[in-house]
Each structure stands twice: as structure tokens, then as C-alpha cells.
């Protein structure tokens, strides 16, 4: 059942991305972040109340930092979804495990010890190289020149997701319930989206268009809830690796709903990123066996 919950979580996040891509025709990224956060607040408040989890916290600063980097990642991902093929935007956002592996390898280089060398970091380094090789294969054949900036923003979403992930791990280590962590992330998303709208403006309101905002918030919360259920009995490598099924769902939606073409090199790049992400997750689990999955 844990595996099924994780697959359902990945499906929810991929379907949310479809709604974001459709809604981006009428709403800017700040508005999408705001509504995703506002609806997520409501859903997580209801869930916390049902689970009898207090939303009061003594770690406001840690939640604020997690929300800041998480909102940057979310906004960058929504921007990339609007400007790139859906499969490409989904895959770049799932690069956070590869980025974390890159941080670990970089830290090992800075703390170079001639006695131990880099042999212990060799598998992680290979995962990092495979991941970025996959990025090159995906971006070069699948995006146009006018989409280069959106591609860079997509890479930024994965990078900042890695920082947010590490902060979620830190909050988990000090005993913060996941419902509380996700609630404050939703609060931060709504606040940041509201501030962003002061600069980007507010789109003209159309109730038919606005209907697409509802599943953005609900599916994001559903995905988060399913992910929580998947990890309710402790993380396993199978469950952690199944989060990458979101890339498969994204590729299916990209081809079936948006008639977007993925070249053979694009498919190869996607496969490399999935393999490197799973590999990095396996290697990382040795240091943090109960670490959560990436959030979206």
C-alpha cells in the first residue's frame, strides 16, 4: 500500500502540473502560487485538525526559511511549466536529488583528505554526472531558442527544491509534524503570491478560467497527503524511488494532452535523470534512512 500511495502522490502532482499549464494561459505565476497556497492552507488546516496536530510552533525562523526557498522553487516550476513542454518542466523539477548529491560531492572536494580520496564519493559523483548529462540531452533537442530562459528557470526550481528538501529534513529531525510543515509552506506560498501580484498585477477574473485554480490547490494537497501516507510506516527505497513515476505521468500528459513531441534524445535524457535521481536517493538513504520525498 505504501507504494500505491506514492504512485498516487506522483499522479496527483503531475495532474496538478497539467492544471497549472492550462491555467497559465490566463493567470501569471504569482497568482498560481497564491491560489495554490491559499487552498493548501485550508486543506492542511482541516487535515491537522482531524489528526489533532497543533499548528503552533516554536521554530518560526526555520519554517520561514523553508517557505522562502520552497516558494522560489514553486514559482520557478510554475514559470517553467508555462514556458516549456510539460515533460521537460516536470523532469527538471525532479532534479533535486541530483543537486543534493552534487552538494555532497562538492563538500567532499572542499574537505579533501588525501588518505581517503574520492573513492567513497565515486558513486554519487557518477549519479551527478549522469543527471546533468540527461539535462543536456533533454534541453538541446526539446526546447526552442526562445525557451532557453524558461529552461534555466526550470533548473533553478530543482536547485531550490533541494534546499527546501534539506530544510524539511531539519524540521523533521527536531520533531515538527509534517502537517505543520506543509501548512506553513502553504502560508508562505499564499503570502509570497500576494506580494508578487503587487508587481505582476492581477489578471481579469473569469469564473470559467478560475475553475482551473481549484484543482491546482486540491491536487497539490492530495499529493502531499498521499506522500505522507506512503511514509507513515517509515521510508523504503522502493517508495522513495517511485516518486519518479511523476516524470512518466508528466511525459504521458505532455504527449497525449498537449501534442508535444519528445525526441529519442529527449527520452534518453529523461531516463538518465530518472536513473540518476533514483541512484542518488538510494545512496542518500544510507545517511538519512527516514528522509522524506521531494515536495511539489
Amino acid at each position: 500500500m505504501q507504494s500505491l500511495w506514492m504512485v498516487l502522490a506522483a499522479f496527483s502532482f503531475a495532474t496538478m502540473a497539467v492544471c497549472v499549464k492550462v491555467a497559465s494561459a490566463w493567470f501569471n505565476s504569482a497568482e498560481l502560487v497564491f491560489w495554490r497556497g491559499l487552498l493548501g492552507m485550508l486543506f492542511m488546516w482541516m487535515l491537522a485538525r482531524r489528526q489533532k496536530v497543533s499548528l503552533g510552533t516554536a521554530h518560526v525562523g526555520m519554517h520561514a526559511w523553508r517557505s522562502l526557498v520552497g516558494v522560489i522553487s514553486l514559482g520557478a516550476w510554475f514559470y517553467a511549466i508555462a514556458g516549456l513542454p510539460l515533460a521537460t518542466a516536470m523532469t527538471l523539477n525532479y532534479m533535486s536529488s541530483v543537486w543534493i548529491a552534487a552538494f555532497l560531492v562538492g563538500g567532499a572536494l572542499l574537505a579533501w583528505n588525501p588518505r581517503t580520496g574520492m573513492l567513497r564519493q565515486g558513486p554519487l559523483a557518477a549519479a551527478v554526472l549522469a543527471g546533468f548529462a540527461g539535462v543536456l540531452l533533454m534541453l538541446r533537442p526539446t526546447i526552442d531558442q526562445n525557451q532557453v530562459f524558461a529552461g534555466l528557470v526550470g533548473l533553478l526550481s530543482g536547485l531550490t527544491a533541494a534546499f527546501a528538501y534539506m530544510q524539511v529534513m531539519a524540521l523533521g529531525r527536531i520533531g515538527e509534524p509534517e502537517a505543520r510543515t506543509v501548512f506553513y509552506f502553504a502560508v508562505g506560498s499564499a503570502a509570497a503570491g500576494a506580494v508578487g501580484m503587487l508587481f505582476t498585477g492581477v489578471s481579469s477574473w473569469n469564473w470559467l478560467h478560475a475553475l482551473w485554480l481549484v484543482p491546482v490547490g486540491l491536487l497539490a494537497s492530495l499529493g502531499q497527503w498521499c506522500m505522507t501516507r506512503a511514509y507513515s510506516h517509515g521510508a523504503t527505497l522502493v517508495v522513495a524511488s517511485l516518486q519518479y513515476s511523476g516524470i512518466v505521468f508528466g511525459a504521458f500528459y505532455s504527449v497525449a494532452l498537449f501534442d508535444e513531441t519528445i525526441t529519442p534524445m529527449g527520452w534518453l535524457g529523461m531516463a538518465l535523470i530518472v536513473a540518476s535521481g533514483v541512484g542518488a536517493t538510494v545512496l542518500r538513504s544510507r545517511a538519512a534512512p527516514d528522509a522524506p520525498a521531494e515536495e511539489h
Side-chain angles (χ1 to χ4, degrees):
M1 284 302 297
Q2 286 176 270
S3 297
L4 291 177
W5 282 120
M6 181 55 77
V7 171
L8 182 57
F11 177 76
S12 298
F13 288 133
T15 308
M16 179 200 72
V18 171
C19 298
V20 168
K21 192 167 185 66
V22 174
S24 65
W26 309 297
F27 301 97
N28 59 53
S29 295
E31 292 173 295
L32 293 172
V33 169
F34 171 77
W35 287 106
R36 184 253 188 258
L38 189 65
L39 293 170
M41 281 173 56
L42 177 61
F43 187 90
M44 293 313 300
W45 173 78
M46 294 169 59
L47 181 62
R49 186 175 181 181
R50 180 182 177 184
Q51 296 177 342
K52 298 181 179 180
V53 174
S54 171
L55 294 178
T57 181
H59 308 285
V60 176
M62 293 183 69
H63 282 286
W65 172 244
R66 184 267 177 271
S67 294
L68 176 62
V69 292
V71 165
I72 293 172
S73 174
L74 185 67
W77 186 37
F78 283 2
Y79 183 90
I81 288 173
L84 293 173
L86 183 64
T88 303
M90 287 286 296
T91 306
L92 292 178
N93 184 253
Y94 274 88
M95 281 281 292
S96 54
S97 285
V98 179
W99 282 112
I100 292 173
F103 298 157
L104 293 174
V105 172
L109 286 173
L110 290 175
W112 173 260
N113 186 338
R115 293 183 179 181
T116 59
M118 283 293 293
L119 292 179
R120 292 176 60 187
Q121 299 298 335
L124 267 180
V128 171
L129 292 175
F132 287 108
V135 170
L136 291 176
L137 288 173
M138 274 207 74
L139 293 186
R140 290 197 63 183
T142 58
I143 67 173
D144 301 324
Q145 285 298 111
N146 60 351
Q147 295 177 318
V148 171
F149 181 73
L152 294 175
V153 172
L155 278 173
L156 175 65
S157 75
L159 173 62
T160 48
F163 285 111
Y165 174 88
M166 290 187 288
Q167 188 66 9
V168 169
M169 288 182 64
L171 286 164
R173 283 196 296 268
I174 63 174
E176 286 291 89
E178 186 161 348
R180 186 185 298 162
T181 300
V182 177
F183 173 80
Y184 282 111
F185 172 51
V187 171
S189 298
V195 172
M197 286 190 290
L198 295 177
F199 298 94
T200 61
V202 179
S203 304
S204 58
W205 191 261
N206 181 300
W207 283 103
L208 188 61
H209 299 164
L211 289 176
W212 287 97
L213 298 173
V214 177
V216 169
L218 291 182
L219 287 168
S221 299
L222 176 62
Q224 199 63 61
W225 182 75
C226 290
M227 187 176 291
T228 303
R229 290 295 300 269
Y231 280 91
S232 60
H233 300 292
T236 67
L237 291 180
V238 173
V239 171
S241 299
L242 281 173
Q243 64 184 299
Y244 291 96
S245 61
I247 295 178
V248 178
F249 291 129
F252 172 78
Y253 281 141
S254 187
V255 174
L257 298 182
F258 300 104
D259 199 28
E260 295 168 342
T261 301
I262 304 176
T263 65
M265 286 183 67
W267 285 111
L268 177 59
M270 197 180 304
L272 270 176
I273 291 172
V274 171
S276 64
V278 171
T281 299
V282 171
L283 293 169
R284 190 182 65 215
S285 69
R286 298 175 183 174
D290 294 322
E294 281 78 354
E295 298 182 8
H296 304 277

